[in-house]
Amino acid sequence: MSETIRLTTAQAIVKFLGQQYSERDGAEQRLVTGMFGIFGHGNVCGVGQALLQDQIAFEDAGADDPLAAGHLPYYLIRNEQSGVHAATAYARSRERLQVMAVTTSIGPGATNMITGAALATTNRIPVLLFPSDQFANRMPDPVLQQLESPQSLDTAVTDCFRPVSRFFDRIVRPEQLMPSLLNAMRVLTDPADTGAVTIALPQDVQAEAYDWPAAFFRKRVWHIARPVPERAALERAVEVLRSAKRPLVVAGGGVVYSGASEQLREFASATGIPVSDTHAGKGAINWDHPSAVGAVGSTGTTAANALARTADVVVGIGTRYSDFTTASHTIFAGDGVEGDVRFVNINTLGFDAAKHSATMVLADAREALTAFSAALDGWEVDAAYRKEAADLDADWQRQVDECYHRDHAPLPAQTEVFGALNELMGPEDVVINAAGSMPGDLQCLWRATTPVQYHVEYAYSCMGYEIPAALGAKLALGDDHEVVAIVGDGTYQMSPMEIATIVSEGLKVIIVLLQNHGFASIGALSESRGSQRFGTKYRMRSGGAGGRLDGAEVPFDLAASAASWGADVLRCNGIEEFRANYAKAAAADHTTVLYIETDLMGPNPPGSAWWDVPVAEVSDLESTQAAYAEHVENRKAQRHYL
């Protein structure tokens, strides 16, 4: 008879996770390295008890390395959504080779995670989520926080995770956990089909005991594949490339996660093909490489966008072609070239490789670039095209310098803050940002020298990501990397509480808090689309009930708020004082918030592409009527790539 171990379902989860490893290129590491969470009645006596038991066992063993000892460290967060954001940033910082789990109670604790799950899945980043659930035995029914459905008694709020998860399961009997966890590990280590993995845990099942086969808890190594390109697919793609006169590479996050930066640089150097980048792919090629032309799309550089408009072949490497990358299907236009624009897409996921009627190459980015370099040996673009790309980029770099050093008064432009940071931070330091106008400015302006330096979440564009992401990135990267989160006043008010988590864990990050008393991005978008910046500033309501929010500035003190969470705060009056205070923050051994006021109205970097945001077709407002006419004109450039 095979050996068994009697444990609760929650204890089995913790024990199992402590024995899971990932491996790529011969390097082996613990796969699940910790668990974020908040305890409530749904998980405190299940997963909470299991984590306590694991903690005591680790302490009693006196081991030096918690991960080698199979220990699963627990991190107390302040908001469940933030916990998923922190886990996402952790996995991204570890190139998706290691992940974190998140445990919550039932009801609001569970549903708070849904936004984070959607963000992880949209970004193709693996996270492991354990929301608690209603009783499987249905005795205390409805239990506290249970959402009843008169149509079906097995419907629960955790069903909301299904569309935002790459894998979802609900455990209603302990033995179901075994195939569920094995499938969870499969998805977490898949180089293509990954994202949020959600296993809903009814609270009674968490505490239920079962005789588990001992073999379930053996050490398992999950090998992360590097699919090589099929020979015939490679030959088809090479034939397309050899016929190109004006090719352009779009480097996406797949290049970074594959660790293919060196291969991309070598490929670009040998062929002379200009290389543009997406948010996730920025830093895949260093900004000063002779072939680098910067960001492409709606918030792209004038250089990359000019080349995109006339490219005859676009080589997408590890990109999902978001609407910002394609400028809502307008930027890849084939202007001035014979024939039409064609696509060659290199991706581990067929869904992305097939986009835009592309010649598909299903392969790991590093393996594909190595194969392409060999197959194209001796082939390169014309010298005139190389020079054109270099001249366009040189002109753009002059515009970057102007944006970084504007001496704008009386308040600095936010681009000046970015310029100071770009010049002060080292190549292995990390800048973190997410929604609003900042990602657009950063994508086109930031001069990234390494893949690790640029960490901007723009697939889900989620306000509130930055501070918890700083927590996750710091846990992943350690003290050798300065982690700097840039936060606007809108984002700060949504999710400041993880500053307390960062402080309680004794971690050191730098938070740059920009105050401009409104939404710069949406305000500018509102104005450009005829809606006159309505409802986009933080103002007191004027004129009594029914009046507008256009009175005096709301008298909040965000610097004092940040200090209340336990961080040191340095107020910066202008860019020179910001530079001086950054040096103090970098020299400190604890978390510091740099608070600076900036101009809500910009000025912003020059735009060179469009983004489709529908405008009201009929309106009494002249501003909206004019915006609609402009929208109709811009839509004429949209196209399907067939």
Side-chain angles (χ1 to χ4, degrees), residues 2-17:
S2 60
E3 181 185 356
T4 61
I5 303 174
R6 190 162 182 80
L7 298 169
T8 69
T9 301
Q11 292 164 1
I13 290 172
V14 173
K15 187 174 182 64
F16 175 88
L17 294 181

Side-chain angles (χ1 to χ4, degrees), residues 304-386:
N305 285 342
L307 294 169
R309 287 189 174 91
T310 59
D312 55 356
V313 173
V314 176
V315 184
I317 310 176
T319 178
R320 64 188 189 93
Y321 288 110
S322 76
D323 68 330
F324 261 64
T325 299
T326 68
S328 301
H329 282 221
T330 62
I331 201 68
F332 302 116
D335 293 349
V337 300
E338 185 178 346
D340 201 359
V341 60
R342 294 171 293 169
F343 291 81
V344 172
N345 289 343
I346 300 166
N347 209 293
T348 51
L349 187 64
F351 179 75
D352 289 327
K355 289 176 177 176
H356 308 324
S357 305
T359 298
M360 300 167 58
V361 181
L362 291 175
D364 170 79
R366 196 183 75 175
E367 295 295 328
L369 283 165
T370 300
F372 269 82
S373 292
L376 289 168
D377 186 31
W379 179 89
E380 58 183 293
V381 300
D382 290 343
Y385 185 51
R386 278 190 191 242

Side-chain angles (χ1 to χ4, degrees), residues 19-23 28-29 218-223:
Q19 295 302 317
Q20 306 308 300
Y21 289 75
S22 68
E23 178 275 329
E28 187 178 289
Q29 52 273 315
R218 67 173 174 84
K219 178 182 176 180
R220 296 175 192 270
V221 181
W222 300 85
H223 303 281

Side-chain angles (χ1 to χ4, degrees), residues 25-305:
D25 301 332
E28 187 178 289
Q29 52 273 315
R30 266 281 297 276
L31 175 56
V32 184
T33 61
M35 186 177 288
F36 295 110
I38 296 178
F39 294 137
H41 72 277
N43 63 343
V44 67
C45 296
V47 174
Q49 188 279 336
L51 289 167
L52 168 64
Q53 186 166 297
D54 176 70
Q55 178 68 39
I56 292 173
F58 168 68
E59 294 169 356
D60 290 345
D64 294 329
D65 185 349
L67 297 184
H71 176 47
L72 192 69
Y74 174 70
Y75 301 91
L76 172 61
I77 53 174
R78 270 65 182 175
N79 178 279
E80 292 89 352
Q81 177 179 317
S82 296
V84 187
H85 290 337
T88 301
Y90 179 92
R92 173 173 172 167
S93 300
R94 300 299 296 171
E95 295 183 352
R96 305 191 297 190
L97 300 175
Q98 292 181 297
V99 305
M100 295 280 272
V102 188
T103 177
T104 73
S105 188
I106 77 167
T111 54
N112 277 352
M113 289 203 294
I114 291 171
T115 295
L119 180 146
T121 298
T122 306
N123 281 276
R124 317 283 166 78
I125 304 293
V127 295
L128 179 57
L129 310 181
F130 292 110
S132 298
D133 218 325
Q134 60 202 46
F135 274 64
N137 66 23
R138 299 182 183 171
M139 289 299 291
D141 185 50
V143 72
L144 177 64
Q145 297 179 332
Q146 177 179 335
L147 178 67
E148 294 181 277
S149 170
Q151 287 80 32
S152 174
L153 296 184
D154 69 351
T155 299
V157 295
T158 49
D159 288 305
C160 297
F161 283 94
R162 293 181 185 272
V164 297
S165 299
R166 258 312 181 238
F167 176 80
F168 175 89
D169 199 8
R170 180 181 289 117
I171 307 302
V172 297
R173 292 177 58 88
E175 57 266 38
Q176 292 177 341
L177 183 68
M178 289 182 281
S180 186
L181 278 179
L182 292 171
N183 273 279
M185 300 304 109
R186 169 186 62 82
V187 177
L188 290 173
T189 55
D190 193 302
D193 192 20
T194 194
V197 170
T198 304
I199 300 179
L201 299 173
Q203 52 187 303
D204 55 338
V205 178
Q206 290 181 43
E208 187 176 344
Y210 182 74
D211 293 317
W212 306 88
F216 180 53
F217 304 110
R218 67 173 174 84
K219 178 182 176 180
R220 296 175 192 270
V221 181
W222 300 85
H223 303 281
I224 299 178
R226 285 193 181 276
V228 299
E230 179 196 14
R231 181 176 177 179
L234 177 65
E235 290 174 352
R236 290 191 294 267
V238 167
E239 182 181 0
V240 174
L241 259 180
R242 284 186 177 276
S243 70
K245 301 298 183 184
R246 301 180 62 83
L248 175 70
V249 166
V250 177
V255 181
V256 175
Y257 303 137
S258 175
S261 290
E262 181 180 347
Q263 288 73 23
L264 178 60
R265 289 191 294 268
E266 292 173 353
F267 174 77
S269 296
T271 63
I273 300 177
V275 178
S276 64
D277 53 53
T278 69
H279 270 295
K282 181 166 288 295
I285 191 169
N286 47 300
W287 73 274
D288 53 355
H289 187 282
S291 292
V293 294
V296 68
S298 296
T299 52
T301 71
T302 55
N305 285 342

